Every structure is written in structure tokens, then in C-alpha cells.
Amino acid sequence: SQELEQSPQSLIVQEGKNLTINCTSSKTLYGLYWYKQKYGEGLIFLMMLQKGGEEKSHEKITAKLDEKKQQSSLHITASQPSHAGIYLCGADRSVRGAQKLVFGQGTRLTINP
Amino acid sequence: EAGVTQFPSHSVIEKGQTVTLRCDPISGHDNLYWYRRVMGKEIKFLLHFVKESKQDESGMPNNRFLAERTGGTYSTLKVQPAELEDSGVYFCASSLRQGHSYEQYFGPGTRLTVT
């Protein structure tokens, strides 16, 4: 099984609707990253959460970290076509100076006009 | 400021051939990472350079893969000989420092197809 599970795997919403993507870890979360990817492009950094209970917002996107539940959620308010893409959560698994991220499989978001 | 760049964007090679991927990190970023995503799987870590030194190469699949970062600037990832299962998207990322507070900036990736 995967270390990070994202749900749902794909999501189709009508423009203007709100949506939530979840990321659940099988291990303790020390740092959780959210990235967005559009086809043919690299991963665009959205937000990084480090502390339990931390919540960050950027424009219409809000991310929260529930450390006890080993879970993070990404919420988009009033979705727009520009929000379409693949959303990926990544967990920081740095060990003794060597840093690496472990990713979920991604959530493909489609926005219907 | 230029982002992380990767070359080529696409590569199609036959099984048994050699391919070299290149990554140019953001200027001044000592930390460089390689990841890859194979079909249907999540993005997986390959290795981490700090300047020219390999900090962690625990994710390298086997000895057909060789990563270098001479001079601590750009990096290359060579696959020799390539196998069908090497097909996927290879991403490079860089960060200014290492640690929980420093985000990794990703390049657009190189899509490798081995036929």
C-alpha cells in the first residue's frame, strides 16, 4: 500500500462549486507539501504545512494539516477553470540531512463550465 | 529568475540504448533532486545532491542509472542500457537549503519512452 493516499483520485466539479481533496499518511507528518501539475508542466508549489493544526490560504485555496489524524486537506472555494489540473500532496521524509519527498498518486481535477 | 529547466522535454529510444537527461537547477540552489513517475504510479524519489555530493541515492532503481553533478551546477542522469520499464517522466527539483522549511521547485520533466 502507498504511504500517502489521496482521495478522490479524480474529481469533476462545476465551475463555481467548492471542493476538497484529502491526503492521508500512514506515518507521522512532519512537513506536508501541496503541488499542482498541469499537463506537460512541472509541479507548481502551492503550500507547505509544518505544524499540527496549521492552516494556510492562497487566493481561493486553503490547506490544513491535522497532525493527529496524519491527514491534510486542500479546499478550493468557488472553483474556476484555472484550478483544473493534478493536485499532489508530498510528505517530507528527510533523514539525517538527506531530504526527499514522498508523494501521493495525485487527484485529477476537472472544472466544467 | 529562471526556474528549473530540463532537457530534453521528450525522448524516445529503443531498448538497450543509452539516454542522458539534463537538469539545470535554479541559480544558487545547492540542493538538487531527481524523481520519476512511471505509468500509473506515484512520483518517486531517486536521489539528492548537495552541491556535487550525493547525499542520498537510496531511490535509484539499479546500476543502470548514473547521476552526476560535476561542479555542483547542472546534473545529468544517464540510463544505460535502457529497459522498457524505465519509461516515465523524470523530474528534477532544486532547493536553496535542505530541511523542512525549504520548498523544492520542480522542473517540467523529461518524458522518456523506451520502445
Side-chain angles (χ1 to χ4, degrees), chain B residues 1 12 22 34 36 42 51 57 60-61 70 78 87 95 102 114:
Chain B
E1 180 184 284
V12 181
R22 173 172 169 145
W34 283 98
R36 77 170 180 177
E42 69 276 15
K51 296 184 180 178
E57 53 183 328
M60 295 288 263
T70 307
K78 179 190 287 188
S87 296
S95 67
Y102 296 95
V114 183

Side-chain angles (χ1 to χ4, degrees), chain B residues 16-27:
Chain B
Q17 289 185 322
T18 298
V19 64
T20 300
L21 314 180
R22 173 172 169 145
C23 168
D24 285 78
I26 293 173
S27 178

